[in-house]
Amino acid sequence: MRGAASILGGGMLLLMGAAAVLAPLLATHDFAAQDLSAQYLPPGSSGHLLGTDLEGRDLLSRLLHGSRVSLLVALLATLVSVVIGVAFGLVSGYAGGRVDAWMMRMVDVLYALPFLFLVILVMTLFLGPRAGPGGRVAALLIVLGAVQWLTMARIVRGQVLSLRSRDFVLAARALGAGPVRILLRHILPNLSGIIAAYATLTVPRVILQEAFLSFLGLGVPEPYPSWGRLAAEGVRGITAVETHWWLVTFPSVAITLALLGFQLLGDGFVRCAGDRGGARGSSRGRRPAGRPRTGA
Amino acid sequence: MIPFAVRRVGGLLVTLLLIATVSFFLLRLAPGGPFDADREVDAAVRAAQEARYRLDRSLPAQYAGWLADLLRGDLGPSSCYPGLTVNEVLAAAIPPSFLLGGLALGIALVLGVLAGALAGRHPGGLADRAVSMFALLFISIPSFVLGAALLLLFSLHLRWFPAGLLEGAASLVLPVLTLGLPMAAVIARLARSGLAETMGEDWIRTARSKGISETRVVLVHGLRTALLPVVSFLGPAAAGVLTGSVVVERIFALPGLGTHFVNSALNRDYSLVMGTVLVYSALLVTLNFLSDLALAALDPRARTR
């Protein structure tokens, strides 16, 4: 039952990934082509399976291309956060003592910062209309990744703390291996499972934040569509007179399915990494919980 | 307990000062200024404007002046609302925002803990599966989509609640739900896994064997430990409420802090941006502190950190 949920999540993501990769082949229209004679066509209209928007652009084609932008931004930003978080956690956990205490204190302080405000500030202040789309996307990746690494750093550090006194690390040190080699060749491979698990759980958060920024008009620039942008455009198009429901519904369904997929897969990964035993992320000396009783 | 609190308050003030300083210099480093206009302004007018907002001095002098004013409780004049001071703008914007955020946080806590308790009592049971599914769904919906959906259904279609503006209690229902439901989902997940773990502990079996009613076992013996993760989530939850309110205020056209924050950043209204950043971070830092304090009260192991 539990495994089935993860497989379902993985399957959904595979489908979406395939749609994103094959977008140019699957899209029936140019995603940026405007057709002012076909404004706000409802779904099922001739040639427009999911309808069109204010400028007469085909929603299906925009969604397909949007999945490329959204997934790419989410994966790359997650990669940025994983690199920062893992590096920070490795150094902090292995250094130990006072260095570790200061580094973790810093993470605590950063946790307390209203990070999204910083993101909003950076995006509004440094990326006016003059910045090119490439620059904006790059800034988006770095900024979103840079605010997500804290949890990863904490988890990795906790794991390193418990691994660094294990026999195989002592053996490596006795053979003359330096700290960099020990961390990268001996400790890091042991963490791959838990890193993969939390990276998978970071992706949906990044997608949500990209959607949030898009809603404020600070996300991926014109004319490129992302799911968040499409949904935001749909929401902004709602008036008391007309709603154009398809412009809100289909992008939202795409976002929700993607987030569900990553969440289900990530939950499964976390359970696997936890079941295999070893060090757990919790620093509290509680005994590890067994598998929850089922049935009852 | 007391030394712990004192130590934390010191750190709190340092954190606030740090945030204010970073934001101040970040703002001034950014290209563009509050008086960039399409057409040339007379030099004397411009000089007068810059003198009023202290923009004619050097950066360190501006910072020192701003800090001195801050200590007297004066946040300076606003440049995108001429004639108003930042204090006045904030005084008008804070009450609706705080009302909205406070209610959302309260509802999220009540709903989340109740749902989590219901689910965590029998892991794998019907209630658990239902709650987990709903929680996952609400976590996976962007807040502006949830807001739009509620707006479409309850306001434009059923006409139960007003679609926007802050007029009467009914107008608060949809914004509070939009802000509170996703957070309730996160809290429910935390409470559920906390309780599921706790219900396997020895002291729960002991309590049961003494013949204490199941409700009391769950609510009193189980939840006290199970809620630790929820309490430590309150800080991040407050951050979520603050950022979420930016979106919710936009959708429901509420006059609050979030709107001012985005507008003032876009208009380079330095003093108003600094004012909103200060209010937000002070609130956040305080809530984090309270959550740490509550955690220390509930769990002595947390005090040493």
Side-chain angles (χ1 to χ4, degrees), chain A residues 163-176:
Chain A
L163 284 179
R164 67 173 183 169
S165 52
R166 293 272 190 96
D167 289 342
F168 68 91
V169 175
L170 291 179
R173 200 180 295 156
L175 287 170

Side-chain angles (χ1 to χ4, degrees), chain A residues 4-289:
Chain A
S6 311
I7 291 169
L8 181 73
M12 276 157 55
L13 293 180
L14 271 184
L15 273 179
M16 289 198 178
V21 171
L22 299 176
L25 297 175
L26 294 172
T28 48
H29 294 71
D30 179 355
F31 68 87
Q34 304 189 357
D35 179 1
L36 295 182
S37 63
Q39 288 177 314
Y40 285 140
L41 289 182
S45 311
S46 61
H48 299 290
L49 195 58
L50 297 184
T52 59
D53 67 3
L54 168 69
E55 271 97 28
R57 295 176 291 196
D58 181 57
L59 183 59
L60 176 64
S61 310
R62 284 179 74 69
L63 266 182
L64 284 168
H65 280 276
S67 62
R68 303 186 117 185
V69 177
S70 287
L71 291 178
L72 203 66
V73 167
L75 291 178
L76 289 178
T78 302
L79 190 69
V80 171
S81 82
V82 167
V83 169
I84 303 177
V86 169
F88 199 92
L90 282 178
V91 171
S92 178
Y94 195 71
R98 191 162 277 192
V99 178
D100 177 42
W102 274 103
M103 285 175 88
M104 279 303 118
R105 189 85 195 96
M106 194 177 126
V107 169
D108 284 346
V109 170
L110 288 178
Y111 252 115
L113 293 193
F115 256 126
L116 268 177
F117 294 109
L118 209 63
V119 173
I120 294 175
L121 273 187
V122 170
M123 295 305 284
T124 49
L125 297 179
F126 290 90
L127 297 152
R130 272 157 293 173
R136 283 198 74 136
V137 172
L140 196 65
L141 291 179
I142 294 171
V143 165
L144 284 182
V147 302
Q148 284 293 349
W149 59 272
L150 297 171
T151 309
M152 183 65 90
R154 271 193 183 168
I155 289 165
V156 168
R157 177 245 178 198
Q159 299 281 317
V160 173
L161 270 186
S162 74
L163 284 179
R164 67 173 183 169
S165 52
R166 293 272 190 96
D167 289 342
F168 68 91
V169 175
L170 291 179
R173 200 180 295 156
L175 287 170
V180 175
R181 191 183 163 83
I182 290 179
L183 279 176
L184 294 184
R185 296 295 296 270
H186 298 277
I187 291 183
L188 192 57
N190 280 297
L191 300 180
S192 51
I194 203 138
I195 291 174
Y198 282 94
T200 313
L201 287 176
T202 306
V203 177
R205 288 220 295 278
V206 176
I207 293 182
L208 268 187
Q209 296 196 334
E210 191 269 325
F212 173 86
L213 288 176
S214 290
F215 180 76
L216 297 178
L218 303 170
V220 178
E222 282 280 13
Y224 300 101
S226 75
W227 290 334
R229 257 194 72 122
L230 292 173
E233 281 171 9
V235 167
R236 259 185 255 125
I238 294 178
T239 61
V241 190
E242 293 175 300
T243 52
H244 313 298
W245 57 270
W246 60 95
L247 292 180
V248 187
T249 311
F250 295 121
S252 312
V253 168
I255 294 178
T256 307
L257 286 182
L259 293 192
L260 271 179
F262 279 109
Q263 196 79 43
L264 290 175
L265 193 66
D267 284 351
F269 274 159
V270 170
R271 221 170 293 120
C272 285
D275 276 357
R276 221 175 289 148
R280 286 162 52 88
S282 158
S283 57
R284 291 195 251 117
R286 192 105 54 87
R287 74 181 164 85

Side-chain angles (χ1 to χ4, degrees), chain A residues 112-113 212 243 259 263 286 293, chain B residues 19 123 136 140 152 197 247:
Chain A
L113 293 193
F212 173 86
T243 52
L259 293 192
Q263 196 79 43
R286 192 105 54 87
R293 287 176 297 148
Chain B
I19 296 173
L136 205 54
S140 302
L152 273 180
E197 196 175 317
V247 165

